[in-house]
Amino acid sequence: GRQDHDLINCPNAFQQHFSEVVFGEEFLNLGIDQVCSLIASDMLTISSEEKVFEAVIGWVRHDKEARQEHMARLMEHVRLPLLTREYLVQRVEEETLVKNSNACKDYLIEAMKYHLLPADQRASMKTTRTRQRTPISIPKVMVVVGGQAPKAIRSVECFDFSEERWYQVAELPSRRCRAGVVCMGGLVYGVGGFNGSLRVRTADSYDPIKDQWVTIANMQDRRSTLGAAVLNGLLYAVGGFDGSTGLSSVEVYNVKTNEWFHVAPMNTRRSSVGVGVVGGVLYAVGGYDGASRQCLSSVEAYNTNKNEWTYIAEMSTRRSGAGVGVLNGLLYAVGGHDGPLVRKSVEMYDASLNSWKQVADMNMCRRNAAVCTVNGLLYVVGGDDGSCNLASVEYYNPVLDKWLLLPQCMSTGRSYAGVTVIDKPL
């Protein structure tokens, strides 16, 4: 895709692709003035202000002795008030580089104060740090990878939101359903799954600009119906099924080394698990444990600093094969099934309250559907209703608390597909 030197000569490209470049060598080698002007920009394209904080910490740690004196100057441009309370308390306040600087602690206090004020009084705090960034939005494309229709397929189709149409792109190198699918650094990854006869440990990555798939390093374990998510620039593959048992194991892919390594396992075996990341914490939601022969309502959270999983509040209902997505800092569990019963109900987890709350039902019962978030809406793609694979897509509007069907269906009904969102290749 984009060559490194283009980014230096073109600060706009840096702003637009901030989330992808922050873990790269080139960003880490910028000077203090360049980093400050970059993170001060209103035009920074980021999914969350967390990315800016992590970028600052990463840049300082890259040459800690020389750079830690710049912490206060950098933190002036990190919009801490826009972060969630959990992230401020669990991540920012715990960061040694912040603890060692009085000025940084003052910025933290400012953010805490912002959260203590009633919403209508927050506007009285006049500082750039409470202002939302307003990037020019790059048009988005939803990428649906593989799935069952009714057998495992290679097809990959994309929905262009600006043109409101579906189109096919390069097929997967081999048939894949029940895989984990994420986007990281502008590439789409498909990991594990089922190829029609075997559970696999293989993984592929797709470059939207070249319209090309390449194979990457194998996972250490075979796993299908796994959960996959990106946290701190690493790809997590969580749980799943290896052909004989449900898995509690979790492994992590590092793009730079093209290697997988295990981290702490979950407390429960979970096949057909859904995962999502909120506030720098990875959540594993529901699934099926094989041992109790029960679908699960339990949920656990992974803390990267402690390398440990802890149980959090349970859902109101058992859900295996639920779609899991994150919208506006809230975690959604969508549909799924409990034994033969396929659900259309949806619940939402608020980490600051450690509680689940029911929201509006979908239009259709769905399990094994794929979920993603675009432009403030939560999309649920395909799945099956217990008898048929679905070609329909519906989306949730949190302001209206309402689900609407996308007028355009996929070319083929598919369950167990993966979905992610990328910038439209121009």
Side-chain angles (χ1 to χ4, degrees):
R2 294 168 295 275
Q3 293 309 303
D4 277 356
H5 59 262
D6 295 347
L7 291 172
I8 283 287
N9 302 333
C10 178
N12 275 1
F14 235 137
Q15 290 170 17
Q16 289 201 336
H17 300 288
F18 186 74
S19 297
E20 297 161 31
V21 300
V22 287
F23 296 106
E25 280 306 304
E26 189 200 4
F27 171 78
L28 295 173
N29 292 326
L30 290 179
I32 177 69
D33 296 332
Q34 289 171 300
V35 175
C36 282
S37 68
L38 182 62
I39 65 172
S41 165
D42 266 347
M43 309 301 282
L44 216 49
T45 304
I46 44 166
S47 51
S48 139
E49 192 68 21
E50 289 174 18
K51 293 273 197 301
V52 185
F53 178 75
E54 297 299 345
V56 163
I57 299 302
W59 183 84
V60 171
R61 281 189 188 154
H62 192 64
D63 182 4
K64 192 166 157 225
E65 299 312 307
R67 293 179 176 178
Q68 57 185 355
E69 65 183 42
H70 298 308
M71 271 299 290
R73 196 178 150 196
L74 289 160
M75 291 298 289
E76 183 188 341
H77 305 296
V78 179
R79 304 183 184 186
L80 290 181
L82 305 183
L83 292 164
T84 63
R85 296 172 197 206
E86 305 72 59
Y87 190 82
L88 287 169
V89 171
Q90 292 165 14
R91 175 75 184 91
V92 181
E93 195 181 16
E94 293 299 309
E95 173 55 57
T96 324
L97 289 167
V98 172
K99 283 183 173 163
N100 291 340
S101 155
N102 284 333
C104 290
K105 285 194 272 194
D106 289 340
Y107 291 130
L108 185 58
I109 289 166
E110 174 187 70
M112 302 281 200
K113 190 169 142 193
Y114 179 84
H115 278 281
L116 288 170
L117 287 173
D120 54 351
Q121 288 175 34
R122 290 177 181 174
S124 66
M125 289 180 72
K126 287 276 178 270
T127 147
T128 51
R129 286 179 293 280
T130 59
R131 193 171 71 218
Q132 294 288 341
R133 296 185 193 261
T134 50
I136 299 165
S137 61
I138 299 173
K140 300 291 181 196
V141 170
M142 180 161 70
V143 186
V144 182
V145 178
Q148 275 178 224
K151 288 210 166 92
I153 55 174
R154 288 176 56 192
S155 152
V156 180
E157 58 184 316
C158 295
F159 184 73
D160 183 320
F161 288 95
S162 47
E163 296 178 17
E164 300 186 351
R165 66 179 187 97
W166 289 96
Y167 61 96
Q168 301 275 339
V169 294
E171 291 198 318
L172 284 160
S174 54
R175 302 192 300 151
R176 201 184 279 278
C177 62
R178 312 178 197 171
V181 173
V182 298
C183 178
M184 181 166 72
L187 301 177
V188 175
Y189 292 82
V191 304
F194 181 66
N195 66 10
S197 49
L198 292 169
R199 278 81 194 174
V200 298
R201 58 166 69 96
T202 58
D204 297 314
S205 89
Y206 172 74
D207 183 331
I209 293 169
K210 295 181 183 161
D211 188 28
Q212 189 180 359
W213 287 91
V214 297
T215 297
I216 60 167
N218 282 354
M219 290 188 292
Q220 299 183 20
D221 306 329
R222 299 175 181 275
R223 49 180 95 227
S224 74
T225 69
L226 64 152
V230 175
L231 178 55
N232 300 335
L234 298 167
L235 196 174
Y236 284 72
V238 177
F241 180 68
D242 66 6
S244 53
T245 49
L247 302 172
S248 58
S249 67
V250 178
E251 49 187 308
V252 182
Y253 177 70
N254 181 336
V255 179
K256 291 182 191 152
T257 59
N258 188 32
E259 284 175 337
W260 292 88
F261 59 93
H262 278 94
V263 293
M266 296 180 288
N267 298 297
T268 312
R269 299 174 183 269
R270 296 177 190 270
S271 58
S272 295
V273 64
V275 299
V277 171
V278 182
V281 177
L282 173 66
Y283 294 90
V285 178
Y288 179 76
D289 77 353
S292 69
R293 304 259 172 106
Q294 294 273 15
C295 296
L296 300 166
S297 57
S298 68
V299 182
E300 36 191 318
Y302 177 69
N303 179 318
T304 49
N305 295 334
K306 296 183 178 162
N307 185 30
E308 71 179 13
W309 289 88
T310 47
Y311 288 107
I312 58 158
E314 297 211 347
M315 294 182 287
S316 68
T317 181
R318 302 175 189 272
R319 295 178 194 270
S320 178
V324 173
V326 174
L327 180 59
N328 302 333
L330 300 164
L331 185 76
Y332 287 79
V334 179
H337 67 102
D338 180 8
L341 179 71
V342 180
R343 302 196 180 278
K344 63 164 71 164
S345 67
V346 180
E347 46 193 312
M348 171 191 92
Y349 175 74
D350 182 333
S352 65
L353 306 170
N354 186 30
S355 69
W356 290 87
K357 143 176 178 230
Q358 194 106 5
V359 298
D361 284 358
M362 291 184 287
N363 292 291
M364 299 159 93
C365 299
R366 297 175 192 263
R367 63 177 178 191
N368 311 320
V371 176
C372 65
T373 303
V374 190
N375 302 333
L377 301 168
L378 187 79
Y379 286 79
V380 180
V381 178
D384 70 85
D385 59 10
S387 55
C388 290
N389 287 330
L390 305 170
S392 65
V393 174
E394 49 186 304
Y395 58 93
Y396 176 69
N397 181 325
V399 180
L400 305 175
D401 185 30
K402 194 167 174 182
W403 288 90
L404 297 164
L405 279 158
L406 192 68
Q408 302 83 4
C409 283
M410 293 183 286
S411 67
T412 172
R414 48 176 105 196
S415 64
Y416 286 115
V419 68
T420 190
V421 177
I422 58 168
D423 291 343
K424 181 174 176 173
L426 299 171

